Amino acid sequence: MATNKLLEKLRVLLGAERRAQIAKYESIKQVLKKLKKKENALKGKLKNETGVKACKQLKKEMSVISAQRKKGMKILKELKELKELKKENNP
Amino acid sequence: MIRNILLPTIFLLLTYGFWLSPDFKEISAGVAIFLFGMLALEEGFKAFTGGTLERLLRRTTNQLWKSISFGVVTTTLMQSSSLVSVITISFLSAELITLAAGIGIIFGANLGTTTGAWLVAGFGLKVKLSAYAMPMLVFGVTLIFQKSRSLKGVGYILAGMGFLFLGIHYMKEGFEAFKQTLDLAEYAIPGYAGLFIFALIGIMATVIMQSSHATLVLVLTALAAQQITYDNALALAIGSNVGTTITAILGAMSSNVQGKRLAGAHLIFNMTTGIIAIVIIQQLILLVDLLSNGLGIAADNYTLKLAIFHTLFNLLGIIIMVPFITRLVSFLERIIATPAAEIATPRYLYAASAEIPDAAIEAVRKETARLYNQAVDIITHGLSLQREILLSEQPLEEVVTESDTIKTQEIDHLYNKYIKAIYGAIIEFISHAQNSVDKEQVEEFSTLRQAGHNIVEAIKGIKHLQKNLSIYMASDNPHIRHEYNNIRIQIAHVLRELEILQNGADEAGTILSLDQLKMEISERDVISTGVLDSLIRKNHISAQMATSLMNDSAYCQNICRNLIHLGETLFAASDPDEKEAERSVALNEAEIKEVLNNYSEEKN
């Protein structure tokens, strides 16, 4: 009985953790979407921009966004792997 | 609105007055020089605070009898109660003495000034201090240029006294026309009505001539010429005693609340003494006669009798008023209240919300955002830019060249007025609120507290930066001006980005856009980019300029970093999960460096 109770508690706890991970996963996805949107907007601006200085500035901004997206994707991948690992452990 | 039109109206009126009457111009210049003298005097006394003068004054004014004696002795030596009262106001403004001690000195000064009547009446002597104004100014200004703090202090005191005398001199000169039209014989009136009228004339004459001595000389002459009666002469002396307070009132105009209270005490004392003297004038005359007999003064020697009367009624005033000094102090403190400090106070921090963790966090966030907005005003002012430019799309390069004259702002004053109290309240509120919160909330409080600290650091940076900014922006060297304009642009750029984030002007904008700023700051560092070396090598800037630029560039970097850091806290997403996600995607210093390196390689 005691073991069952403990296991139940553990399941709930894991559930909460899982929920938190799902929330994090979704939030990062949202952030990445925003970044993608911004990146596309900058690409559009770059196409129409003729000034050398402004072009440089836009490219710089894009390089930062690209680095942020890379970082975000990496975290997303890790979270996905963790999710799948847990699924395997608790089918 | 009224404040905005008040100063131009005063200026217009004064200009019209100057155009209308040269006398008015002279009188106004006299008042201005006099007030300037007061300021110089205060500055001088401040140089001695915490030192010899403070100890000396404390020792000589720590008891009522001592402060009264101090007043008597100094006024006898200086032969000007007005000057002693003005100096006492300066002592008070510099917080060298207490109000009670100041009142004691003023009482004493009233008695000391009567020695002038004795000198005039007895020996026909009058120490004319105004003749010393010019040498005082010359010695004073020479001493002001000295390095030693105490010599500078003495210089300010001498120059201050010189300016006071010069101011009085100009006022007197200006009123010369009035003095000539003042024929006392025309007003000879018997009885109490005459007493009051002559007391009023005495007041007017002293106010106009700025010297009770001058009035007294006039009275003694008129009395000797039998233009006025003895009674009327006494009333004039009483009036001159009241009128002499005008100098202290003028002096108090440029002083703090304590100085104004002292001028109030001076007026109350002289008025009360005057009224009492008028009421019991017959008894006083009798007493003067008795004393004159005792001293062997001839019954028709009205001039000396007037001197006795002058001393007697001032002494009477002191005897009557001394028991009420404590009450007088509390009365003055009540009617001339310390003005409510115009210091910004917290708007969202209430003790009740400290009990509810989420409400407390929100309150602190709102208050910190408010603090940030006040700080933006101070920083833009410090850079001599308008806050509105942060919301415009005008290129910053244009903005800074349009306003390239740096007006020195009192950053310390603005900090004390708009930041200090709120920041202190936030810290205190957080300390109380975080007693009953969980770990995450403690972290949130700690981040907000850090944001407050960033605000304060940014303002400190602006304060340091402003000094050289005002020097080098006015320099003939275009290279140094360019670099300092770059500094202004950098900070304004960060503020503009934060403004966009705060207003949600960019839909896709998140605190992640601040990473871009971080990169730009590293990119613009004059040291790591070699800009500074290049400027020195090409002899475009001097070694001194290079040192200043190096330090100020570091200040600029710190200001920007602090602003970005607080932006990350204040303008993060309101949803906790989204906020967490943004923070985990944001680049750290090493990652930004890497992006910068990759970008430079690509460029090459």
Side-chain angles (χ1 to χ4, degrees):
Chain A
M1 189 67 184
T3 326
N4 277 348
K5 258 191 179 176
L6 271 172
L7 278 171
E8 180 61 25
K9 268 190 182 174
L10 194 68
R11 206 177 61 81
V12 173
L13 217 80
L14 284 172
E17 196 190 319
R18 199 176 137 81
R19 271 199 303 278
Q21 269 172 358
I22 290 170
K24 192 176 179 186
Y25 185 84
E26 289 304 319
S27 305
I28 288 187
K29 250 169 93 175
Q30 283 302 317
V31 170
L32 286 175
K33 253 188 203 173
K34 272 192 185 178
L35 285 173
K36 182 75 190 166
K37 203 174 159 185
K38 203 167 182 186
E39 198 176 29
N40 286 338
L42 289 175
K43 268 183 193 169
K45 262 190 190 175
L46 190 65
K47 264 184 193 169
N48 301 325
E49 187 58 65
T50 49
V52 182
K53 208 177 167 189
C55 277
K56 262 187 194 173
Q57 178 68 22
L58 288 168
K59 277 181 188 166
K60 233 187 290 171
E61 275 185 47
M62 280 165 66
S63 65
V64 172
I65 293 177
S66 160
Q68 287 169 336
R69 286 196 62 224
K70 258 186 205 166
K71 192 178 177 183
M73 301 277 255
K74 199 180 160 194
I75 300 171
L76 213 61
K77 202 178 157 192
E78 279 168 7
L79 282 169
K80 209 171 179 183
E81 279 171 7
L82 206 73
K83 210 163 76 175
E84 273 161 12
L85 197 75
K86 270 181 188 162
K87 239 185 205 174
E88 278 171 24
N89 291 342
N90 304 299
Chain B
M1 177 67 185
I2 295 171
R3 250 187 204 184
N4 288 342
I5 58 164
L6 189 68
L7 195 64
T9 316
I10 293 172
F11 275 25
L12 271 174
L13 284 174
L14 283 172
T15 316
Y16 181 64
F18 296 159
W19 176 72
L20 216 61
S21 151
D23 287 342
F24 177 67
K25 195 163 62 187
E26 208 161 0
I27 295 161
S28 307
V31 175
I33 295 170
F34 180 87
L35 292 177
F36 185 75
M38 274 294 298
L39 292 176
L41 213 56
E42 245 171 66
E43 192 65 38
F45 289 131
K46 269 182 195 162
F48 294 101
T49 44
T52 332
L53 186 69
E54 207 167 11
R55 274 197 301 275
L56 185 79
L57 277 173
R58 201 170 293 143
R59 220 174 291 156
T60 46
T61 61
N62 58 0
Q63 278 172 307
L64 190 62
W65 72 266
K66 281 190 188 175
S67 48
I68 293 175
S69 313
F70 183 86
V72 175
V73 173
T74 47
T75 315
T76 308
L77 290 174
M78 291 190 187
Q79 278 304 298
S80 170
S81 65
S82 304
L83 186 66
V84 170
S85 60
V86 164
I87 291 174
T88 312
I89 289 172
S90 315
F91 286 165
L92 254 183
S93 294
E95 291 177 6
L96 285 168
I97 52 168
T98 62
L99 180 61
I103 293 175
I105 297 175
I106 293 291
F107 284 7
N110 270 287
L111 193 62
T113 195
T114 63
T115 54
W118 284 95
L119 287 173
V120 176
F123 313 104
L125 273 174
K126 187 175 181 297
V127 182
K128 202 177 174 190
L129 276 178
S130 57
Y132 300 119
M134 303 292 174
M136 270 179 177
L137 282 173
V138 176
F139 290 131
V141 173
T142 313
L143 285 173
I144 288 171
F145 285 119
Q146 301 307 306
K147 274 185 185 164
S148 148
R149 194 174 134 88
S150 12
L151 281 182
K152 247 185 214 284
V154 173
Y156 274 113
I157 292 171
L158 274 180
M161 280 167 74
F163 278 122
L164 284 186
F165 287 133
L166 203 65
I168 292 172
H169 168 76
Y170 276 113
M171 283 188 249
K172 273 188 201 167
E173 290 274 302
F175 276 118
E176 203 59 40
F178 293 97
K179 191 182 163 187
Q180 276 158 14
T181 55
L182 216 66
D183 185 6
L184 295 167
E186 284 178 21
Y187 307 97
I189 303 163
Y192 265 102
L195 275 178
F196 275 106
I197 289 169
F198 270 80
L200 273 177
I201 296 170
I203 294 173
M204 296 275 286
T206 314
V207 167
I208 288 170
M209 292 184 285
Q210 283 289 304
S211 165
S212 54
H213 267 112
T215 315
L216 220 59
V217 173
L218 209 66
V219 173
L220 289 169
T221 329
L223 187 64
Q226 291 180 339
Q227 268 190 327
I228 49 169
T229 61
Y230 176 54
D231 288 5
N232 288 165
L234 299 184
L236 277 166
I238 295 167
S240 79
N241 223 42
V242 178
T244 193
T245 55
I246 186 70
T247 322
I249 292 166
L250 272 178
M253 273 165 64
S254 64
S255 81
N256 62 11
V257 148
Q258 286 288 71
K260 289 187 175 76
R261 285 176 186 153
L262 189 70
H266 195 8
L267 186 68
I268 291 173
F269 173 80
N270 289 38
M271 287 271 278
T272 316
T273 316
I275 291 167
I276 292 170
I278 288 177
V279 172
I280 57 162
I281 197 147
Q282 295 309 328
Q283 287 79 1
L284 277 174
I285 291 172
L286 214 67
L287 197 61
V288 169
D289 287 342
L290 273 173
L291 279 170
S292 299
N293 279 339
L295 289 167
I297 294 167
D300 58 348
N301 192 347
Y302 291 119
T303 49
L304 268 180
K305 277 170 117 179
L306 187 71
I308 296 176
F309 173 79
H310 203 197
T311 307
L312 207 62
F313 90 78
N314 271 301
L315 191 65
L316 190 73
I318 293 174
I319 293 166
I320 293 170
M321 293 293 284
V322 159
F324 300 104
I325 279 196
T326 328
R327 278 191 201 172
L328 186 64
V329 168
S330 52
F331 171 72
L332 287 162
E333 278 169 353
R334 209 172 51 244
I335 60 156
I336 308 175
T338 312
E342 288 177 352
I343 288 173
T345 46
R347 194 179 285 166
Y348 305 102
L349 309 177
Y350 298 104
S353 48
E355 305 295 322
I356 311 151
D358 284 338
I361 289 173
E362 198 44 36
V364 174
R365 178 181 299 283
K366 277 187 175 170
E367 203 63 66
T368 313
R370 187 169 158 244
L371 194 69
Y372 164 72
N373 278 316
Q374 317 252 52
V376 173
D377 281 335
I378 297 175
I379 296 170
T380 43
H381 266 85
L383 297 171
S384 286
L385 296 172
Q386 300 288 321
R387 171 120 195 207
E388 293 74 46
I389 60 107
L390 300 179
L391 293 169
S392 79
E393 284 185 2
Q394 191 186 1
L396 287 168
E397 286 77 6
E398 271 178 31
V399 175
V400 293
T401 33
E402 273 172 17
S403 58
D404 59 353
T405 317
I406 302 292
K407 293 169 211 137
T408 316
Q409 303 288 335
E410 291 280 341
I411 304 286
D412 270 337
H413 170 70
L414 295 172
Y415 170 77
N416 285 328
K417 196 171 171 185
Y418 296 110
I419 306 290
K420 202 177 173 186
I422 301 180
Y423 179 52
I426 291 174
I427 300 288
E428 195 187 359
F429 186 86
I430 290 176
S431 304
H432 290 304
Q434 66 182 7
N435 277 338
S436 52
V437 292
D438 61 31
K439 198 183 148 199
E440 274 178 21
Q441 286 160 334
V442 168
E443 262 177 40
E444 197 59 43
F445 274 131
S446 152
T447 339
L448 285 167
R449 185 165 39 202
Q450 182 57 41
H453 182 66
N454 292 137
I455 293 172
V456 173
E457 286 295 311
I459 294 173
K460 264 191 201 167
I462 280 291
K463 186 188 149 191
H464 292 303
L465 191 61
Q466 213 195 23
K467 198 179 141 200
N468 284 334
L469 203 59
S470 59
I471 296 172
Y472 292 125
M473 283 305 295
S475 162
D476 291 332
N477 184 327
H479 303 284
I480 196 78
R481 270 205 322 269
H482 176 74
E483 289 310 320
Y484 273 89
N485 257 340
N486 271 345
I487 287 178
R488 290 170 78 203
I489 292 172
Q490 269 189 68
I491 300 169
H493 179 52
V494 173
L495 288 174
R496 192 178 255 185
E497 290 298 319
L498 290 175
E499 204 80 354
I500 293 170
L501 263 184
Q502 189 181 22
N503 297 332
D506 181 3
E507 246 183 73
T510 61
I511 53 158
L512 292 172
S513 55
L514 296 175
D515 285 352
Q516 167 72 24
L517 288 178
K518 286 181 200 163
M519 194 170 96
E520 281 172 21
I521 291 167
S522 310
E523 224 182 3
R524 285 185 174 180
D525 182 17
V526 286
I527 304 163
S528 62
T529 51
V531 172
L532 189 78
D533 284 334
S534 162
L535 286 168
I536 300 171
R537 257 200 318 272
K538 289 176 185 165
N539 273 332
H540 283 164
I541 57 171
S542 66
Q544 197 189 349
M545 284 175 180
T547 325
S548 302
L549 186 60
M550 205 161 75
N551 291 335
D552 292 331
S553 178
Y555 283 133
C556 169
Q557 298 255 323
N558 276 336
I559 293 167
C560 293
R561 285 207 178 93
N562 277 304
L563 288 172
I564 293 170
H565 201 273
L566 72 92
E568 283 173 337
T569 306
L570 287 181
F571 310 130
S574 49
D575 178 63
D577 291 328
E578 206 178 324
K579 194 193 298 177
E580 185 55 40
E582 279 176 355
R583 280 178 186 165
S584 51
V585 174
L587 305 179
N588 57 33
E589 290 270 327
E591 287 162 340
I592 283 172
K593 230 175 206 171
E594 202 185 316
V595 177
L596 196 63
N597 288 340
N598 291 343
Y599 177 75
S600 310
E601 277 169 23
E602 265 177 45
K603 211 165 67 174
N604 292 333

